[in-house]
Amino acid sequence: MFDLKDFRQNVLKMTQDDFAKMIGVRQDYVSRMEKTPEAIEFSMLLKIAQATGTTLDELVGYKKSIPNALEVSNTWETSSFIKKTLLDYIKMKTEDIRLSSEEKYKKMIKDLYQMIESTIVKPSVAIVGMSDAGKSRLINSLLGMDKMPTSWTPTTSISVHIKHIDDRPDFIEDEVWIFKGDKNGFDVKKLTNENYCSKWKIAGGTTSLLADYGTRQGDKYDIEDASAAVIFVESSILQICDIVDLPGFGTGDRKNDDILAQKSREIADVVIYMSIANGFLRGTDIEFLKTTLNSLPVIENKGNKLSPLNNLFIVASQSHTVDNGNKTELERILDAGATRLYSEVPEEIWQNREEQSVYKHTINDLRNRFFTYTTDKPYLREDFEREVKQLLENLPTIINKNAKESLQKYVEDSKILLENDIEQYEKIIYEREKYKQLLADIRKNEPIRIQENQKARMEVLEKVEKLHKESIKQFEDEFASIISVDNIVEIIKDKKYKKKKQDMESLAGYLSSKIQAKMQVVLKDNAEDLNKSIDKYLKNFNVQINKFESELKGFQVNFDAVKAFASGLAGLATFGGLAIWASTLGNLGAYILVAKGVSVLSALGITVAGGTAGAASVVAALGGPITLGIALAVIVSLSVFAFATGGWQKGIAKKIVKEYSAQDTFGQFVEEIDKFWDDTENAFNAAADYLDDEWKKYVDDLNDMVSSYSIKDIEQRIINAINLKDFFVEMPLSEPAMA
């Protein structure tokens, strides 16, 4: 594609007005041609060639040069080796281990395999920004090749996942596959699942498909089902990360684009947010950035020594357009942007991040994450490229360390479980009569256990219902205190907002974020209260299954109620407040959250921080799309508001209160609260049902061993358990395999 704007600026060194005079057209006509260069007629190309002294071939062959690819050290190579070593070990050893029909042993190995697959993965870098921010140019620059369709008009409409060629599954032979998906889009984590990919595939071919499906000029753009594309490329940077180009938001063309950009960003490990330098951090940018800050994985902590917000890059793109790339002027723009953003982020968001990282976040910490960028002038992108390179080269070490700790804990827990099984099998051989008595006691107690368990379940569900109602009431009080004329006037005065459009946009955005933050605090606190009820329920379950006659007192059933209950969550799409409970479970909780779709660095970080930090991480994304939508709607309404003279603060406050009412802001957030607690209730019931089923399987299995198994059969089980324990003991988790 002929890049007229770049040709005019960097080859001819002319303004639009001078260029228009040279070819005999109006300046606005040149502007339109630069926005849609693919629509320039042949006669006009011929006129430009004649006026500029170039041949037509030279002109249409002109293409803006791409900087050399960002060269990084392949620090993922060790991770890749570790992952392959562990998976090969599992495949080789399981062929030698006799597991008979013992499903729980097969599940232990399957869970281990999936844990390795889901935790030793490359970090995901999301490129985000409004549709004219130049995301595709940045990606092409990082890759060192022209793979993403670029234009000065808004383009990308689907999420594009860019992976290294070595990560391409064997069943995919094309450079690009285009996918549709369900209501949540295409799950790229299932890319190795051939059946899943074949089900959702729309088309396959070369990167030219991206222009067809992913640009507003493309032939297939109107196919609403297209939600994602995966492209496989040979590039240095892709050896250590995946890149995701998210739909540009804020154009209004497709309402789902904004939601998709929001949701996809929530599972990214690193976010690069782009905003045009000449008009840096407009109101929409600020709103999207605040929701990004709220849910950005907290990967920094005292252990890894990463600085605060290390995985956030706020980039002033096309920096060469500001006074021809004047560094002093650009630094001033970045300073102003950081100051504005910091002042508009509610303190609750910073507190939330502090709980997870133990770092306080100062305005200097935020300012350090602001960078200039352009492909035209290398000195304006040096700082950005250096920081990106340093972070991406360091992340594999962090992932390795956290994955190693998680896997070692799983292995240790598995060895203990197997030792308990071996002990139980041996006792069954030598104390069969005692176990017959145990089964008799279990059966005798079962009606009482079922009754007591049902009662305990109802207590938890009643607690959920109570917390649901309390959450709405508490949020109602918070909402009323925020969206009141007096409070808004006070905020205007405290923040020294002036009677101008930008300040009123800031005010509306601040209020929306404040509402979201208060809702998150309410849900976090109440869900942590629910944790006590869940723990009490599981403790009661253990008490009930260990009620025996006097001669068996002190006997403990070899059944892990907590693990069985938690395993019942793993297959659920959403689980509300139970996610906060899961975040207290260490490596088991991390595995459950990763399976749900939480970013790997975020989930593994929970195992390091745990407790309150886990809860803060889980609620961080709640209400994001709602907050963004309401803030933008209120900003639009205020843009046509006529400021009265005199006490304008009260007038604007009344207008804002009225607009929040018109948007049914309270109702929309209550729907989010309702969904949170409905998901909690459904997740609890599903996990409790799974727990009951696992208990029944345990009792049936115990009955089979005591009643019908021969000594030889039980001895074989002992051999199976010993073999599996040896399998875990010999796992290559020590140095140098897990360096």
Side-chain angles (χ1 to χ4, degrees), residues 116 186 247 339 350 457 494 589 668 734:
I116 294 167
F186 177 78
T339 300
W350 297 125
R457 282 184 69 160
D494 286 347
Q668 289 194 57
S734 59

Side-chain angles (χ1 to χ4, degrees), residues 136-413:
S136 295
R137 288 192 185 277
L138 171 69
I139 293 171
N140 285 340
S141 175
L142 293 175
L143 297 176
M145 60 187 73
D146 194 3
K147 289 295 181 181
M148 299 298 295
T150 60
S151 172
W152 288 92
T153 57
T155 52
T156 312
S157 66
I158 59 177
S159 61
V160 181
H161 301 262
I162 310 168
K163 293 176 170 288
H164 194 271
I165 190 71
D166 291 343
D167 297 327
R168 182 169 60 183
D170 292 338
F171 61 86
I172 298 179
E173 296 181 353
D174 299 307
E175 188 178 24
V176 173
W177 270 22
I178 308 290
F179 298 96
K180 56 183 178 179
D182 58 21
K183 63 181 180 180
N184 295 314
F186 177 78
D187 185 356
V188 75
K189 289 188 176 182
K190 296 181 179 178
L191 191 62
T192 57
N193 185 325
E194 184 172 2
N195 291 334
Y196 178 82
C197 290
S198 297
K199 175 183 178 182
W200 296 112
K201 176 187 174 185
I202 295 176
T206 65
T207 53
S208 63
L209 285 175
L210 296 178
D212 291 337
Y213 286 90
T215 66
R216 287 165 175 80
Q217 297 84 12
D219 294 338
K220 310 288 187 179
Y221 173 73
D222 290 331
I223 298 179
E224 292 286 343
D225 286 342
S227 66
V230 181
I231 172 175
F232 301 96
V233 178
E234 175 74 59
S235 178
S236 173
I237 192 172
L238 297 177
Q239 292 179 326
I240 60 174
C241 74
D242 293 335
I243 294 176
V244 187
D245 181 18
L246 295 178
F249 65 90
T251 65
D253 288 22
R254 287 182 171 182
K255 293 180 180 178
N256 288 338
D257 281 3
D258 289 3
I259 296 173
L260 181 58
Q262 175 80 15
K263 292 230 174 247
S264 299
R265 190 262 301 121
E266 288 168 4
I267 64 169
D269 300 302
V270 179
V271 172
I272 298 175
Y273 188 91
M274 303 187 70
S275 177
I276 296 177
N278 199 348
F280 187 58
L281 291 196
R282 292 163 283 188
T284 307
D285 291 310
I286 292 285
E287 293 317 307
F288 202 87
L289 263 173
K290 282 190 293 185
T291 58
T292 296
L293 270 171
N294 205 1
S295 58
L296 183 75
V298 176
I299 66 174
E300 67 271 13
N301 56 61
K302 301 294 184 182
N304 59 35
K305 298 180 181 178
L306 291 178
S307 57
L309 303 172
N310 201 259
N311 53 336
L312 174 65
F313 296 81
I314 302 173
V315 177
S317 62
Q318 302 172 29
S319 289
H320 65 282
T321 62
V322 175
D323 194 13
N324 198 32
N326 184 299
K327 191 74 172 176
T328 302
E329 178 62 16
L330 285 165
E331 290 298 317
R332 187 194 66 77
I333 289 172
L334 297 187
D335 288 343
T339 300
R340 182 183 173 199
L341 176 59
Y342 190 82
S343 69
E344 293 187 32
V345 176
E347 55 272 23
E348 289 85 357
I349 291 179
W350 297 125
Q351 290 166 1
N352 196 19
R353 295 190 66 84
E354 185 181 343
E355 284 182 12
Q356 300 173 66
S357 68
V358 199
Y359 282 118
K360 287 189 178 295
H361 294 75
T362 67
I363 188 169
N364 288 333
D365 292 326
L366 183 62
R367 175 61 181 86
N368 288 338
R369 308 316 303 155
F370 280 63
F371 303 88
T372 58
Y373 187 85
T374 179
T375 57
D376 296 66
K377 299 180 183 294
Y379 72 89
L380 291 178
R381 63 175 185 270
E382 286 174 349
D383 291 346
F384 166 77
E385 291 182 339
R386 183 184 63 254
E387 287 282 327
V388 168
K389 172 183 169 70
Q390 182 177 331
L391 176 66
L392 293 181
E393 288 179 346
N394 284 339
L395 287 183
T397 302
I398 296 172
I399 292 173
N400 281 345
K401 180 177 181 294
N402 291 346
K404 176 183 178 180
E405 292 173 356
S406 184
L407 290 169
Q408 283 179 329
K409 184 66 169 62
Y410 180 85
V411 167
E412 290 303 315
D413 290 345

Side-chain angles (χ1 to χ4, degrees), residues 564-718:
F565 181 86
S567 297
L569 296 174
L572 303 179
T574 56
F575 31 90
L578 268 295
I580 292 178
W581 178 80
S583 73
T584 66
L585 300 179
N587 71 306
L588 176 60
Y591 170 61
I592 292 170
L593 292 171
V594 167
K596 177 179 176 286
V598 175
S599 88
V600 173
L601 281 167
S602 182
L604 289 176
I606 287 172
T607 68
V608 176
T612 303
S617 175
V618 168
V619 301
L622 292 176
I626 294 173
T627 305
L628 182 62
I630 290 172
L632 297 182
V634 174
I635 286 171
V636 169
S637 73
L638 292 179
S639 66
V640 296
F641 180 71
F643 292 105
T645 57
W648 66 270
Q649 293 99 332
K650 196 164 188 177
I652 195 69
K654 287 180 178 179
K655 168 66 176 175
I656 287 174
V657 170
K658 181 179 179 181
E659 189 58 36
Y660 274 100
S661 176
Q663 293 294 323
D664 189 24
T665 304
F666 177 72
Q668 289 194 57
F669 276 99
V670 167
E671 285 182 11
E672 185 82 355
I673 293 172
D674 288 341
K675 183 178 185 305
F676 179 85
W677 289 111
D678 288 345
D679 287 345
T680 302
E681 180 180 341
N682 292 334
F684 173 75
N685 281 326
D689 287 344
Y690 188 87
L691 172 61
D692 279 341
D693 289 342
E694 289 299 295
W695 168 247
K696 289 171 186 173
K697 289 178 184 177
Y698 173 82
V699 174
D700 289 343
D701 186 51
L702 188 61
N703 179 67
D704 288 341
M705 281 193 290
V706 172
S707 304
S708 58
Y709 275 36
S710 67
I711 291 177
K712 185 177 179 181
D713 292 331
I714 299 174
E715 286 176 340
Q716 183 58 56
R717 279 207 163 190
I718 293 174

